[in-house]
Amino acid sequence: MISKVQKVVLAYSGGLDTSIIIPWLKENYGCEVICYTGNVGQDNELEGLEEKAIASGASKIYIEDLREEFIEDYIFPTIKAGAIYEGRYLLGSALSRPIIAKHMVQIAEKENADALSHGCTGKGNDQVRFELTFKAMNPKLRVIAPWREWDIRSREQAIAYAEKYNIPLTVSKEKIYSNDANLWHRSSEGGVLEDPWAEPPDNVFEVVILPENAPDTAEFIEIEFEKGIPIGLNGKRLSPLDFMLQLNTTASRHGIGVVDMVENRLVGIKSRGVYETPGGTLLYQAHREIESLVLDADTMHFKESIAPRYAELVYYGKWFTPLRLALDGFVEQTQKHVTGTARLKLYKGNAIAVGRKSPFSLYREDYATFGEDDVYDQKDAEGFINCFGLPLKVRAMLKLNGTGASDYEKPDYSKFKRD
Ligand code: ARG
């Protein structure tokens, strides 16, 4: 017995790892185990969960439908911010941890539990995301992370442990990848993907169809936004959940939303991940199209400069932080007029923006036209260029006098061998 814990709330998925944690906690801490499962759209994993948790030794299980909250309070702010980690990752797993962790704390408080537990390994980002949220919500609750404590090191050992404690196993003995799925994305890591040069085998993909198997004809869709939030698809108003589900189906059918990347984990390791984010990919793109019409240049460029920072906060598990909230305040202000419709053409893995419109558009055809216009005097451009180019002119004049700074020197490419 390590030390006294009465009651622990465990983040439970029904998978092998979180299943064996139940008897392990009871054996090593002598505590009662309450399971918590937040439904964030991992639908097929939810079947039979209750019986399984009880059969594995839990005293009870809470299963909560968090899907609407997940979309409205976590996904929407991130889309509005345009946050993408390292230019590629749409943060699907990172976004789901704070919401699950927050609800676990609520259950722990309601149940008078004194500890929280999760099945994240000690090598990943998810442990950080869970635990930073635990700390932010209730620093008094103790955290038990079995993967950082026990001697189980492989899947075989985990299966042996499960068999010893008669834990019902529905998973096959061969698990090829480490996956995490929700209504926003599905991630795959591990197995052959650990070789960053190896192309992902077809069996990696469970959501998005391969582009070569996608339809030979393009499909056009229209996504409507109001104040930065998607509200309609092809002229029909939909609830956030129906919207996401339909958009995912459409995008998946056309092979859209696959990212294959090497990323920097928070714990210092580089890892290779393959992500399927079909609907999300379209949403980011469509949202940006509306912004291109309604945001002024300064606001847009500043917003773009903070988007990577926002993404980093999400990736690092710093969701419930003053900075994230403050950035939200800025972003929200920019979204007041992000209302309009984007039209996308979907074709074999590509989403091509072909149209955008907004009642708040700053785009003026009569200003932009290459045809004749009477609002823009082309002669004005001359004075503007004279002022704008003045520093360049001064520098060049110094150089003519022989007193200027030397120019950038081109590398000597002849040193590089070529065939
Ligand atoms: N690398 C991604 C991230 O850190 C995905 C993590 C997936 N989590 C998992 N338990 N398989 O956000």
Side-chain angles (χ1 to χ4, degrees), residues 6-10 12 14-16 18-27 30-36 48-62 161-162 164-169:
Q6 304 292 324
K7 214 190 250 188
V8 49
V9 175
L10 166 68
Y12 179 72
L16 173 63
T18 56
S19 294
I20 60 171
I21 289 175
I22 303 173
W24 185 88
L25 284 170
K26 291 169 73 174
E27 184 184 46
C31 57
E32 176 186 343
V33 179
I34 295 175
C35 288
Y36 179 82
L49 216 54
E50 174 152 16
E51 301 82 82
K52 211 167 160 190
I54 303 299
S56 304
S59 64
K60 64 167 115 165
I61 178 170
Y62 285 85
Y161 193 90
K164 185 172 153 206
Y165 286 90
N166 291 316
I167 302 301
L169 286 180

Side-chain angles (χ1 to χ4, degrees), residues 320-371:
F320 294 105
T321 57
L323 179 56
R324 213 269 310 165
L325 283 171
L327 291 180
D328 262 359
F330 165 76
V331 169
E332 201 50 46
Q333 178 70 21
T334 66
Q335 298 298 294
K336 293 207 162 125
H337 294 129
V338 184
T339 294
T341 303
R343 188 158 183 264
L344 305 175
K345 174 179 175 176
L346 316 183
Y347 183 67
K348 290 195 184 292
N350 297 293
I352 305 152
V354 293
R356 67 291 286 160
K357 62 179 177 184
S358 164
F360 304 110
S361 176
L362 301 173
Y363 180 93
R364 289 278 301 266
E365 206 165 333
D366 49 352
Y367 281 32
T369 182
F370 284 97

Side-chain angles (χ1 to χ4, degrees), residues 89 93 97 125-126 129 178-180 187 189 263 275 315:
Y89 174 38
S93 298
R97 300 311 182 218
N125 299 309
D126 289 327
R129 298 167 182 152
S178 164
N179 302 107
D180 181 51
S187 71
E189 295 171 331
E263 75 199 41
Y275 301 105
Y315 190 86

Side-chain angles (χ1 to χ4, degrees), residues 36-263:
Y36 179 82
T37 306
N39 176 6
V40 284
Q42 69 279 37
D43 292 333
N44 56 349
E45 296 170 18
L46 294 169
E47 256 168 66
L49 216 54
E50 174 152 16
E51 301 82 82
K52 211 167 160 190
I54 303 299
S56 304
S59 64
K60 64 167 115 165
I61 178 170
Y62 285 85
I63 304 175
E64 292 182 318
D65 187 351
L66 306 179
R67 292 175 301 171
E68 291 265 339
E69 185 185 336
F70 182 42
I71 299 173
E72 288 178 354
D73 295 353
Y74 295 79
I75 290 175
F76 283 172
T78 308
I79 296 174
K80 289 184 198 173
I84 303 178
Y85 185 66
E86 295 188 339
R88 322 277 303 280
Y89 174 38
L90 296 184
L91 298 162
S93 298
L95 284 168
S96 72
R97 300 311 182 218
I99 181 174
I100 295 169
K102 176 185 169 181
H103 284 270
M104 285 173 70
V105 171
Q106 285 170 2
I107 298 296
E109 287 168 352
K110 180 177 150 196
E111 286 281 346
N112 261 317
D114 47 359
L116 299 162
S117 183
H118 60 70
C120 310
T121 73
K123 289 178 90 172
N125 299 309
D126 289 327
Q127 52 174 346
V128 184
R129 298 167 182 152
F130 270 110
E131 293 179 37
L132 290 195
T133 303
F134 293 160
K135 281 186 205 302
M137 293 290 147
N138 187 338
K140 291 194 177 141
L141 291 166
R142 178 162 171 181
V143 179
I144 305 173
W147 275 103
R148 304 199 297 246
E149 287 185 31
W150 65 24
D151 306 318
I152 298 172
R153 285 289 164 267
S154 67
R155 201 166 163 77
E156 291 68 38
Q157 288 170 9
I159 289 171
Y161 193 90
E163 280 166 356
K164 185 172 153 206
Y165 286 90
N166 291 316
I167 302 301
L169 286 180
T170 44
V171 283
S172 67
K173 295 214 174 182
E174 258 172 288
K175 189 166 173 272
I176 326 174
Y177 309 106
S178 164
N179 302 107
D180 181 51
N182 57 49
L183 56 79
W184 182 245
H185 99 329
R186 181 172 176 278
S187 71
S188 302
E189 295 171 331
V192 290
L193 299 175
E194 284 173 9
D195 172 1
W197 179 250
E199 183 180 350
D202 292 356
N203 65 8
V204 165
F205 304 102
E206 281 191 9
V207 180
V208 176
I209 210 167
L210 295 172
E212 50 268 46
N213 297 333
D216 290 328
T217 43
E219 179 174 350
F220 292 83
I221 62 161
E222 289 183 10
I223 301 179
E224 189 184 347
F225 288 84
E226 196 177 307
K227 295 188 172 28
I229 286 172
I231 52 155
L233 187 57
N234 297 327
K236 241 180 82 187
R237 282 205 161 226
L238 293 169
S239 73
L241 182 57
D242 287 337
F243 184 94
M244 271 321 300
L245 297 178
Q246 282 194 29
L247 197 64
N248 277 337
T249 308
T250 305
S252 301
R253 184 164 66 230
H254 288 278
I256 288 163
V258 172
V259 166
D260 175 347
M261 71 185 284
V262 172
E263 75 199 41

